[in-house]
């Protein structure tokens, strides 16, 4: 008994010292301390799955190591040296007041501002999939695909046929899929047939890596020949064409980019490929020189994840809201902001800025995150934020538009998981025409929405609101 007491005291002292040295917020520190002392085994498991900070995953110098000894070092150095000048030039344009956002993303995430780009908004799978299929068929050197969800279905069978034909023609075809996101969707037969056809397919962070099972790759990226790339909210599944059961369709947003931004997405993929396979593909052939465009389109490719020291995507959302002078339109299936983003949204609304948020009131699989979101909708709406509930089709878009001048399209939901646990990538575009087009799409989406009503919500049975509040307690895990 005395030995158990000594061991318990030593465990408590170690846990307390460990958590205090992490320098989290006092609320977070006390919450984890309570959990890990009150439930030693369960608390440790939950902390391992959800609670570790960026230092546990940090790979700050990984990119430098991967390109060391190649000509890419010189290009990376030149790009970094150009950033102060490019940021200064951006500040003198019609979107110059948002150059502070670009500066923050460069300093926090080393997301360079790129200029020689073309950008195309693709609304829904019926626009993205045919466009992607055409680009895949035209590939001559490499096809790199990474998706959170990849299903085995009639549509992806067509994709596999195209990829097999390209592999047979000598094109390098590499695929990463998330085994949690694709669980029960992707058959072993389908994987075997692709590998037999010469397609390199790997699961990112396999399920037997129990210590990282909660830290998922949520990105949806395609890069063709290092010149054309796609990123956004659409996965690789036929369900995005027809919609899940109980819905009339699937509403989503993706983007197609050509130019320097495609190289940044290539870098994201190749880093993930190295972390999965141990093979370093950072060679000049995967980073073709881009023809300089006469028209300049400023884009930053911003990536985040559990290895991100500064939570750049979260800070981008906060700064986008803070910089708004007239309006900010946000789209996300989930509404689970952290305190910083929630306070920024409420402060902007109280100051007279039009803060409009479009969300999904329910989901196709599990309702916990959506129910937790209703408590945040109640809180934000009380401060003057307009919360719009999308009806009919399942809503899955992740976009932000500010003052018709700057916008973001990507994979990150407006929830704590996307901000700090999942690996995500967003494209931030500093352009009035593109932002106005995306805003027009937002306004069209409003035709399928109903406004969240505080009185209507508060009139619901107590058990419903109690369940929602209980789900909110679990919001960091959802």
């Amino acid at each position: 008994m005395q030995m158990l007491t000594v061991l318990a005291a030593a465990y408590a002292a170690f846990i307390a010292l460990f958590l205090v040295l992490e320098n989290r917020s006092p609320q977070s520190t006390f919450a984890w301390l309570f959990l890990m002392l009150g439930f030693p085994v369960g608390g440790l498991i939950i902390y391992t799955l959800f609670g570790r900070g960026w230092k546990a995953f940090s790979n700050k110098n990984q990119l430098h190591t991967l390109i060391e000894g190649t000509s890419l070092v010189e290009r990376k150095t030149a790009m970094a040296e150009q950033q102060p000048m490019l940021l200064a030039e951006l500040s003198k344009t019609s979107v110059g007041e948002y150059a502070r956002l670009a500066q923050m993303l460069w300093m926090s995430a080393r997301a360079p501002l790129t200029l020689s780009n073309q950008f195309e908004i693709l609304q829904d799978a019926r626009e993205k999939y045919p466009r992607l299929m055409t680009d895949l068929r035209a590939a001559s050197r490499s096809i790199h695909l990474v998706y959170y969800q990849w299903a085995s279905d009639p549509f992806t069978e067509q994709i596999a046929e195209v990829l097999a034909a390209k592999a047979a023609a000598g094109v390098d075809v590499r695929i990463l899929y998330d085994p949690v996101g694709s669980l029960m969707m992707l058959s072993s037969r389908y994987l075997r047939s692709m590998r037999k056809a010469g397609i390199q397919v790997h699961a990112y962070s396999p399920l037997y890596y129990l210590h990282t099972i909660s830290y998922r790759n949520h990105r949806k990226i395609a890069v063709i020949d290092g010149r054309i790339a796609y990123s956004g909210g659409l996965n690789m599944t036929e369900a995005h064409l027809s919609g899940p059961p109980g819905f009339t369709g699937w509403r989503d947003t993706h983007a197609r980019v050509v130019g320097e931004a495609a190289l940044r997405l290539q870098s994201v993929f190749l880093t993930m490929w190295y972390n999965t396979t141990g093979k370093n593909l950072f060679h000049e052939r995967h980073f073709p020189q881009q023809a300089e465009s006469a028209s300049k389109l400023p884009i930053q490719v911003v990536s985040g994840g559990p290895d991100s020291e500064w939570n750049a995507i979260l800070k981008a959302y906060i700064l986008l809201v803070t910089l708004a002078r007239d309006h900010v339109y946000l789209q996300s299936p989930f509404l689970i902001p952290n305190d910083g983003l929630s306070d920024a949204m409420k402060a902007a609304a109280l100051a007279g800025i039009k803060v409009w948020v479009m969300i999904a009131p329910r989901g196709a699989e599990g309702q916990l995150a959506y129910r937790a979101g209703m408590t945040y909708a109640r809180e934000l709406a009380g401060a003057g934020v307009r919360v719009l509930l999308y009806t009919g089709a399942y809503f899955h878009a992740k976009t932000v538009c500010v003052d018709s001048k700057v916008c973001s399209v990507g994979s990150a939901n407006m929830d704590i998981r996307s901000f700090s646990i999942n690996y995500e990538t967003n494209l931030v575009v500093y352009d009035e025409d593109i932002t106005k087009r995306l805003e027009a799409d937002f306004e069209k989406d409003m035709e399928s929405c109903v406004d969240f009503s505080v009185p209507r919500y508060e009139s619901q049975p107590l058990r419903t609101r109690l369940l929602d509040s209980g789900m909110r307690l679990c919001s960091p895990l959802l």
Side-chain angles (χ1 to χ4, degrees):
M1 180 65 70
Q2 187 176 6
M3 180 61 70
L4 288 176
T5 302
V6 171
L7 290 175
Y11 169 80
F14 173 77
I15 290 299
L17 181 64
F18 175 78
L19 290 173
V20 167
L21 288 175
E22 283 198 311
N23 291 316
R24 299 171 183 249
S25 68
Q27 300 96 318
S28 177
T29 299
F30 279 117
W32 282 113
L33 190 61
F34 171 79
L35 182 64
M36 296 173 75
L37 293 182
F39 308 92
V41 177
L44 281 173
I45 292 173
I46 293 174
Y47 178 85
T48 301
L49 294 179
F50 302 101
R52 289 177 293 163
W54 71 272
K55 290 182 180 178
F57 302 86
S58 179
N59 52 7
K60 271 188 172 184
N61 299 315
Q62 185 179 44
L63 182 58
H64 178 76
T65 302
L66 291 174
I67 67 175
E68 189 174 7
T70 73
S71 60
L72 295 175
V73 173
E74 297 176 3
R75 290 171 62 177
K76 178 176 178 288
T77 301
M79 176 196 67
E81 291 175 347
Q82 289 178 340
Q83 288 306 299
M85 178 190 68
L86 296 179
L87 292 168
E89 290 179 353
L90 181 66
S91 68
K92 299 174 184 177
T93 67
S94 60
V95 298
E97 58 194 299
Y98 305 96
R100 287 178 291 169
L101 172 64
Q103 171 73 19
M104 184 277 291
L105 293 175
W106 167 242
M107 295 301 295
S108 64
R110 274 301 183 255
L113 186 68
T114 64
L115 295 182
S116 295
N117 297 298
Q118 300 172 38
F119 187 91
E120 183 179 354
I121 299 169
L122 302 172
Q123 299 290 21
D124 298 320
R126 296 187 185 280
E127 289 189 5
K128 180 212 169 178
Y129 286 168
R131 202 83 171 86
L132 176 62
M133 192 78 84
T134 299
D135 286 332
L136 293 177
R137 290 192 175 105
S140 60
R141 303 181 70 176
S142 65
I143 295 173
H144 294 155
L145 308 171
V146 52
Y147 284 90
Y148 176 64
Q149 289 184 340
W150 194 303
S152 308
D153 56 40
F155 167 70
T156 58
E157 289 286 355
Q158 297 177 42
I159 291 288
E161 290 176 7
V162 172
L163 297 178
K166 300 312 294 187
V171 175
D172 293 326
V173 182
R174 300 180 177 92
I175 297 173
L176 293 173
Y177 67 92
D178 189 276
V180 172
S182 304
L183 193 64
M184 308 300 291
M185 300 173 64
L186 190 58
S187 71
S188 56
R189 178 204 62 79
Y190 181 89
L191 291 172
R192 285 196 303 271
S193 67
M194 285 205 293
R195 288 169 179 147
K196 187 176 180 180
I199 301 168
Q200 302 176 62
V201 187
H202 294 278
Y204 184 82
S205 187
L207 296 179
Y208 53 80
Y209 289 2
L210 296 180
H211 63 295
T212 59
I213 198 166
S214 181
Y215 300 87
R216 306 317 312 167
N217 158 57
H218 194 244
R219 293 165 176 151
K220 298 94 173 167
I221 295 172
V223 186
I224 297 95
D225 293 338
R227 298 185 182 277
I228 300 169
Y230 292 76
S231 185
L234 286 158
N235 289 290
M236 193 65 74
T237 164
E238 191 170 73
H240 289 356
L241 288 165
S242 58
F247 293 85
T248 60
W250 187 288
R251 173 69 190 89
D252 218 324
T253 302
H254 221 79
R256 179 182 184 270
V257 294
V258 179
E260 292 180 317
L263 294 179
R264 305 280 72 78
L265 290 168
Q266 179 82 298
S267 183
V268 171
F269 176 88
L270 294 182
T271 299
M272 295 182 66
W273 187 262
Y274 174 79
N275 290 334
T276 302
T277 68
K279 296 179 181 178
N280 183 0
L281 299 180
F282 276 83
H283 306 306
E284 191 76 30
R285 66 178 178 274
H286 291 307
F287 294 86
Q289 293 285 353
Q290 303 293 313
E292 189 166 343
S293 175
S295 59
K296 305 298 183 183
L297 179 58
I299 297 177
Q300 283 177 294
V301 176
V302 186
S303 290
D307 55 349
S308 301
E309 179 179 4
W310 297 106
N311 287 339
I313 292 179
L314 169 61
K315 285 181 170 54
Y317 275 67
I318 293 174
L319 195 52
L320 281 164
V321 172
T322 304
L323 289 173
R325 294 295 173 263
D326 180 73
H327 64 268
V328 53
Y329 300 156
L330 303 104
Q331 293 181 315
S332 169
F334 306 116
L335 180 59
I336 307 179
N338 77 337
D339 288 344
L341 179 56
S342 178
D343 286 345
M345 295 168 68
K346 287 184 284 189
L350 290 168
I353 306 298
K354 288 191 296 185
V355 182
W356 293 357
V357 185
M358 191 177 296
I359 63 173
R362 63 188 182 97
E365 300 174 357
Q367 306 304 314
L368 302 184
Y370 304 94
R371 298 312 313 170
M374 292 302 101
T375 68
Y376 290 97
R378 161 66 184 86
E379 184 179 304
L380 292 168
V385 175
R386 186 179 184 186
V387 180
L388 299 156
L389 307 178
Y390 197 92
T391 62
Y394 175 59
F395 188 73
H396 196 249
K398 308 109 171 22
T399 72
V400 185
C401 299
V402 179
D403 294 344
S404 303
K405 292 188 176 182
V406 60
C407 62
S408 169
V409 176
S411 66
N413 295 312
M414 195 159 54
D415 63 11
I416 297 171
R417 171 168 283 279
S418 278
F419 291 146
S420 59
I421 298 177
N422 286 341
Y423 293 91
E424 308 279 5
T425 297
N426 283 8
L427 303 174
V428 179
V429 185
Y430 304 85
D431 184 81
E432 294 184 43
D433 290 339
I434 289 173
T435 304
K436 287 176 181 176
R437 269 182 270 157
L438 199 58
E439 289 180 350
D441 292 331
F442 182 98
E443 291 165 1
K444 183 178 179 181
D445 285 334
M446 290 175 64
E447 298 172 5
S448 301
C449 294
V450 296
D451 280 278
F452 176 89
S453 167
V454 173
R456 189 184 309 127
Y457 178 75
E458 292 184 338
S459 69
Q460 294 191 70
L462 175 61
R463 64 178 181 275
T464 299
R465 290 180 284 123
L466 184 59
L467 175 63
D468 294 352
S469 296
M471 290 303 99
R472 178 171 173 147
L473 292 176
C474 302
S475 57
L477 314 182
L478 298 175

